[in-house]
Amino acid sequence: MLEPRGSHRPTIIYRPIQPSDLEVLEQIHLALFPIRYERDFFLNVVHGHGIVSWAAVDGQNNELVGFITTRLISERESEIADLLRHRSSRKELMLVYILTLGVVEHYRNYGIATSLVCEVIKYASSITNCRAVYLHVISYNLPAIKFYRKMLFKFIRRLQNFYYINGQHYDSYLFVYFVNGSHSPCSPLNIVAAVANYLRGLLKMLASKLWRNEETHIPVWSKCRETKTLLVTPNKRILGAENSACRVCTSQLT
């Protein structure tokens, strides 16, 4: 297995996963995930049978240090079909589902996971009828949740008892990254927030107009009576030593 490196920053190369990565790929999955994947899964990954994947390889020794595996699926077969706004098109809408993403521990904090996810987003964006990249995160994996939020994935919903691992149920968080101009319809909460913001702005505008009306109807002389100065004409500045105190008055008359 991989040994920890020194403090130098490694040179990482990104490429498709190859058959030669099979054994290391299995070992890393076994070390990182609580779910045990069947041998067929890894064979499909390395041979590209229904799975599109990327590898992160240390350029110094060509060892696999990170990976991401995905599957292209039909929008109709997905669980987020209700989130997509349909447009009249002859093409069937597609989605990219992230199956697994992992980086060997001592290669973390080098931006490898970010680069791998970016490869997936670029791939999804290159497919004209693809509308989103999505995935599930187990509820207790807080670093992963923080990571996908940082990557601007949108949290959609929490799925109760989605995982069943070692005799225990765990919830899942569903995250989606929309591509090619797609976006989720407004939820009831979004609508309420939008209405509240609109009403708040409307109230501010009405309050401002009322204040201006009251300001306009106050007699000019009453506003300036304490200055003991004369108003020559509406378009002239106020004369006297206390001129600055009544400049608002003349502006209301112009």
Side-chain angles (χ1 to χ4, degrees), residues 110-162:
Y110 289 127
I112 296 175
T114 298
S115 297
L116 288 168
V117 172
C118 286
E119 290 293 332
V120 174
I121 292 174
K122 287 191 294 183
Y123 166 68
S125 300
S126 70
I127 304 172
T128 57
N129 60 326
C130 183
R131 291 296 175 264
V133 178
Y134 79 105
L135 67 140
H136 298 92
V137 179
I138 198 164
S139 58
Y140 62 73
N141 193 347
L142 300 183
I145 292 170
K146 181 180 179 181
F147 169 76
Y148 285 111
R149 289 187 184 276
K150 182 180 178 181
M151 293 293 295
L152 303 182
F153 277 71
K154 184 175 181 180
F155 168 68
I156 300 300
R157 60 175 70 105
R158 181 168 182 155
L159 304 173
Q160 300 290 330
N161 299 327
F162 183 84

Side-chain angles (χ1 to χ4, degrees), residues 188-209:
L189 184 59
N190 296 141
I191 295 173
V192 170
V195 172
N197 288 333
Y198 170 77
L199 292 176
R200 190 180 300 113
L202 183 62
L203 289 173
K204 286 183 179 179
M205 182 182 68
L206 292 175
S208 177
K209 286 186 176 181

Side-chain angles (χ1 to χ4, degrees), residues 52-68:
V52 181
S53 62
W54 290 261
V57 177
D58 188 327
Q60 185 175 0
N61 50 34
N62 201 37
E63 287 184 305
L64 181 70
V65 299
F67 58 85
I68 190 166

Side-chain angles (χ1 to χ4, degrees), residues 21-92:
D21 300 317
L22 179 60
E23 298 302 326
V24 176
L25 184 67
E26 283 192 84
Q27 292 175 24
I28 299 177
H29 273 76
L30 185 63
L32 297 182
F33 300 111
I35 299 174
R36 296 295 174 258
Y37 292 88
E38 300 292 335
R39 179 76 172 184
D40 287 345
F41 168 76
F42 298 106
L43 290 173
N44 289 333
V45 171
V46 299
H47 292 293
H49 294 162
I51 294 178
V52 181
S53 62
W54 290 261
V57 177
D58 188 327
Q60 185 175 0
N61 50 34
N62 201 37
E63 287 184 305
L64 181 70
V65 299
F67 58 85
I68 190 166
T69 64
T70 69
R71 176 179 284 122
L72 188 65
I73 66 174
S74 167
E75 168 259 350
R76 296 177 183 176
E77 299 174 359
S78 76
E79 59 197 289
I80 64 169
D82 59 309
L83 301 177
L84 303 175
R85 294 187 173 183
H86 296 271
R87 297 177 181 176
S88 56
S89 174
R90 294 181 179 180
K91 285 188 176 181
E92 182 179 17

